[in-house]
C-alpha cells in the first residue's frame, strides 16, 4: 500500500506538496522525500513530532539518537504505518537549526502501489518555495540570524576592569628568585651530567 501525504509549509502563503510513500518505508525515507519535494539543501538535523487528534505531541522522533544511553528511537525505527494509522492523521516535521523550516504532514489517502515507481515521490506541487525559512510571525528571517545588541545590555570592559581588585596582601611573601644565594651554576651542570 502507498500513503499519500500532503506536506504543508508553515507559512502565511499556501505552499504544499503531495508525496506518496510506501507503508513499509520509515520516517527517514519521508524525511528524504520532504527534502526533495521542497528542495531543502544541506544535511541539517530534523525531527518528527507525532501528534494525537488534538494536536498534542505524543512522541518526538529525531534524525539521530541524542539520548545519553544511545537507545532512543530514531526516524529509521518508525514505519509510516506507525506514524499514520488513518486518513486525517497528522505529524509535525522540523528541518534545520539556524533557519528552521516547519511542516505539517497529513495522511490524505491510502492507495495501491504502482509498479516501477521509486517511492517516496512528489506527485503534486503548489506554491513557490521561499529562499529563507519563514518565521512564526510571517516576516522574513533576519540575515544569518544576527541579533543586534545594544551597549546597555553588557558592561564595558573598562568598568569591569576597574571593579576588579588586584590588591596584594602585605603579609604575603614575595619570592625573589634573583637573590637565591644557594643556587650555583656548577651544581646545575653536575646534575645534568
Amino acid at each position: 500500500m502507498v500513503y499519500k501525504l500532503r506536506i504543508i509549509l508553515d507559512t502565511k502563503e499556501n505552499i504544499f506538496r503531495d508525496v506518496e510513500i510506501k507503508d513499509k518505508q520509515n520516517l527517514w525515507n519521508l524525511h528524504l522525500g520532504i527534502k526533495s519535494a521542497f528542495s531543502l539543501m544541506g544535511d541539517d538535523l530534523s525531527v518528527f513530532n507525532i501528534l494525537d487528534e488534538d494536536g498534542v505531541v505524543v512522541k518526538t522522533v529525531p534524525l539521530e539518537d541524542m539520548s545519553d544511553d544511545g537507545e532512543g528511537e530514531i526516524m529509521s525505527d518508525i514505519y509510516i504505518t506507525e506514524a499514520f494509522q488513518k486518513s486525517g492523521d497528522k505529524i509535525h516535521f522540523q528541518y534545520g537549526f539556524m533557519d528552521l523550516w516547519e511542516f505539517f504532514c497529513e495522511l490524505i489517502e491510502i492507495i495501491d502501489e504502482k509498479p516501477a515507481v521509486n517511492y517516496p515521490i512528489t506527485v503534486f506541487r503548489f506554491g513557490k518555495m521561499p529562499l529563507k525559512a519563514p518565521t512564526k510571525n510571517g516576516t522574513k528571517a533576519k540575515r544569518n540570524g544576527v541579533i543586534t545588541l545594544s551597549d546597555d545590555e553588557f558592561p564595558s570592559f573598562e568598568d569591569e576592569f576597574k571593579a576588579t581588585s588586584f590588591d596584594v596582601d602585605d603579609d604575603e611573601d614575595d619570592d625573589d628568585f634573583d637573590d637565591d644565594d644557594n643556587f650555583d651554576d656548577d651544581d646545575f651542570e653536575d646534575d645534568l651530567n
Side-chain angles (χ1 to χ4, degrees), residues 114-136:
K114 297 175 188 128
V117 174
N118 189 15
Y119 293 99
I121 185 170
T122 304
V123 294
F124 184 75
R125 297 174 190 270
F126 184 87
K128 185 177 177 187
M129 188 68 174
L131 296 175
K132 288 276 190 190
T135 60
K136 283 293 188 184

Side-chain angles (χ1 to χ4, degrees), residues 170-189:
D170 293 334
D171 297 340
E172 289 186 21
D173 293 334
D174 288 335
D175 292 331
D176 189 1
F177 295 106
D178 293 336
D179 295 336
D180 191 0
D181 295 332
N182 297 332
F183 184 75
D184 187 8
D185 288 336
D186 294 333
D187 292 339
F188 180 69
E189 289 175 10

Side-chain angles (χ1 to χ4, degrees), residues 105-123:
C105 312
E106 180 178 355
L107 176 59
I108 299 171
E109 63 180 325
I110 300 173
I111 57 177
D112 291 329
E113 185 176 340
K114 297 175 188 128
V117 174
N118 189 15
Y119 293 99
I121 185 170
T122 304
V123 294

Side-chain angles (χ1 to χ4, degrees), residues 5-7 15-19 37-38 124-127 129:
L5 305 171
R6 176 148 298 162
I7 318 296
I15 301 170
F16 64 89
R17 308 288 186 259
D18 288 349
V19 174
F38 287 93
F124 184 75
R125 297 174 190 270
F126 184 87
M129 188 68 174

